[in-house]
Amino acid sequence: MFVISNDSIRTSISNLYGVQYGIYKSFESIYFTEHYTNYIKPMFMEEFDTFKFYSSFKPRNYQEFIKSKAYKRV
């Protein structure tokens, strides 16, 4: 365990974990939820016959899917 005796450093660390970290986590959660809802899920529904998140995916046409430019940025 460390004891931080510098008031400025201690305040900065407290602010980082007490305020900024929560803001970043909230932004990250919102961004990933929106990204999944707006891009990933529709792509799965259109391009895959089956998908079970974290286990198996079966694209309808693998060769066409990997060549598709529509999903390069997703």
Side-chain angles (χ1 to χ4, degrees):
M1 177 176 212
F2 293 98
V3 175
I4 300 172
S5 57
N6 183 303
D7 290 339
S8 176
I9 294 174
R10 189 172 51 249
T11 300
S12 293
I13 292 171
S14 294
N15 182 44
L16 174 66
Y17 285 99
V19 178
Q20 293 178 5
Y21 182 72
I23 292 169
Y24 294 138
K25 285 299 281 181
S26 176
F27 174 76
E28 178 185 56
S29 176
I30 291 167
Y31 173 78
F32 283 122
T33 300
E34 287 180 2
H35 186 72
Y36 176 78
T37 301
N38 295 329
Y39 299 103
I40 303 300
K41 187 175 179 180
M43 176 191 64
F44 283 150
M45 294 175 76
E46 184 176 321
E47 298 290 339
F48 289 78
D49 287 329
T50 61
F51 62 92
K52 294 178 184 172
F53 214 71
Y54 296 117
S55 64
S56 67
F57 301 90
K58 183 181 177 194
R60 289 189 176 109
N61 185 328
Y62 179 76
Q63 292 302 320
E64 290 299 317
F65 178 72
I66 62 172
K67 291 177 186 176
S68 174
K69 293 183 183 203
Y71 305 116
K72 294 290 184 187
R73 294 182 305 185
V74 174

